[in-house]
């Protein structure tokens, strides 16, 4: 059974710092991995999608990496801003059409 | 407008009543999903559909029924609502030509069962 874990559950950092969010999964036979952002009371917004054959994807200040062999992905946020405060979730597509989510990391950027 | 829409956004009902949550997408995506989000459990997959007339169970399907007669619609029905089904429900869609890809979410339907 695929399990997706995100540690820490919550994180507070001062504005301007670079930070890394972690995602681990137990079964390396994945099709892709996605990172999402969720603001309070809102739906999820896709940030980055990494196919199983890729090692990383970048969008603006965000960089996501994927290491299938170790079952890990990281989301790097450069020069954090208060507007980055949200919950970040990773999700794994298991090739059986089921997309499984971690519980998320609640990020708070301190002004 | 293009996108994925859920209705109703908010619903209060009583134990034992039938409730249907609607989901409509305009991208002709093959895949559609229903998740529930609860504190402490995160997002859990209820049901998903790979195409019209094809549905399958997720992690927590008990007490729910889905159908997909048209590609663009994927309603979720609670046949006899229970308090444990109080949650925020999210519909999502993905993929063209039967291949999953980026997942797009609706705004959610907040259901309270009294």
């Amino acid at each position: 059974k695929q399990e997706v874990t995100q540690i820490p559950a919550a994180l507070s950092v001062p504005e301007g710092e670079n930070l890394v969010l972690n995602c681990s999964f137990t079964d390396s036979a994945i099709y892709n991995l996605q990172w999402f952002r969720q603001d309070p009371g809102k739906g999820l917004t896709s940030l980055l999608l990494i196919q199983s054959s890729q090692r990383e994807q970048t969008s603006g200040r965000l960089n996501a990496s994927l290491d299938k062999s170790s079952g890990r992905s990281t989301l790097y946020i450069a020069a954090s801003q208060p507007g980055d405060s949200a919950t970040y979730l990773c999700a794994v597509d298991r090739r059986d059409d089921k997309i499984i989510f971690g519980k998320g990391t609640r990020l708070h950027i301190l002004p | 407008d293009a996108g994925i829409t859920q209705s109703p956004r908010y619903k209060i009902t009583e134990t034992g009543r039938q409730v249907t949550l609607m989901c409509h997408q305009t991208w002709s995506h093959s895949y559609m999903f229903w998740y529930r989000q609860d504190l402490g459990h995160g997002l859990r997959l209820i049901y998903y559909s790979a195409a019209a007339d094809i549905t399958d169970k997720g992690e927590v399907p008990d007490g729910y029924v889905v159908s997909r007669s048209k590609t663009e619609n994927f309603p979720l029905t609670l046949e006899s609502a229970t308090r444990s089904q109080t949650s925020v429900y999210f519909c999502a869609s993905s993929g063209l030509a039967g291949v999953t890809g980026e997942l797009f979410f609706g705004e959610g339907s907040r259901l309270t069962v009294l």
Side-chain angles (χ1 to χ4, degrees):
Chain A
K1 177 186 175 184
Q2 178 72 276
E3 293 184 1
V4 182
T5 304
Q6 292 185 249
I7 295 173
L11 181 65
S12 293
V13 299
E15 179 179 2
E17 283 199 2
N18 303 325
L19 60 100
V20 174
L21 305 179
N22 297 296
C23 172
S24 60
F25 47 95
T26 53
D27 186 348
S28 62
I30 65 170
Y31 185 65
N32 62 48
L33 184 144
Q34 297 184 62
W35 282 94
F36 294 84
R37 170 187 174 133
Q38 185 177 27
D39 294 293
K42 300 290 187 181
L44 281 72
T45 301
S46 178
L47 297 173
L48 289 164
L49 169 68
I50 311 176
Q51 301 290 351
S52 62
S53 59
Q54 296 175 320
R55 299 282 292 187
E56 65 178 319
Q57 282 285 347
T58 298
S59 175
R61 293 183 295 108
L62 306 179
N63 176 275
S65 68
L66 174 63
D67 184 344
K68 277 200 327 176
S69 61
S70 66
R72 293 184 181 183
S73 176
T74 61
L75 178 66
Y76 175 84
I77 303 176
S80 59
Q81 303 170 359
D84 295 330
S85 297
T87 297
Y88 291 80
L89 300 99
C90 67
V92 169
D93 187 334
R94 306 182 335 177
R95 290 184 177 269
D96 61 355
D97 300 339
K98 295 180 182 178
I99 299 175
I100 304 299
F101 281 80
K103 293 183 180 179
T105 294
R106 194 169 60 254
L107 177 65
H108 182 49
I109 306 300
L110 305 167
Chain B
D1 288 348
I4 182 166
T5 55
Q6 295 183 231
S7 62
R9 293 290 314 282
Y10 303 92
K11 176 75 176 178
I12 300 174
T13 191
E14 294 178 340
T15 301
R17 292 193 180 255
Q18 183 179 80
V19 176
T20 295
L21 305 179
M22 305 300 292
C23 180
H24 175 78
Q25 53 102 356
T26 59
W27 293 301
S28 299
H29 281 166
S30 296
Y31 288 88
M32 295 188 75
F33 305 83
W34 274 107
Y35 290 88
R36 59 177 291 174
Q37 187 173 39
D38 305 285
L39 209 59
H41 290 282
L43 277 157
R44 291 180 291 175
L45 181 64
I46 305 171
Y47 268 97
Y48 66 100
S49 168
D53 298 321
I54 300 174
T55 63
D56 208 347
K57 296 178 181 178
E59 302 170 82
V60 288
D62 293 343
Y64 303 95
V65 174
V66 293
S67 61
R68 194 156 175 218
S69 57
K70 293 183 178 181
T71 300
E72 61 266 30
N73 296 324
F74 191 39
L76 175 73
T77 298
L78 289 67
E79 294 188 301
S80 179
T82 64
R83 289 195 180 121
S84 65
Q85 292 177 311
T86 292
S87 186
V88 181
Y89 292 85
F90 287 101
C91 179
S93 71
S94 173
L96 296 171
V99 177
T100 56
E102 187 176 357
L103 197 58
F104 295 89
F105 277 81
E107 286 291 303
S109 294
R110 183 176 294 275
L111 176 67
T112 301
V113 183
L114 302 175

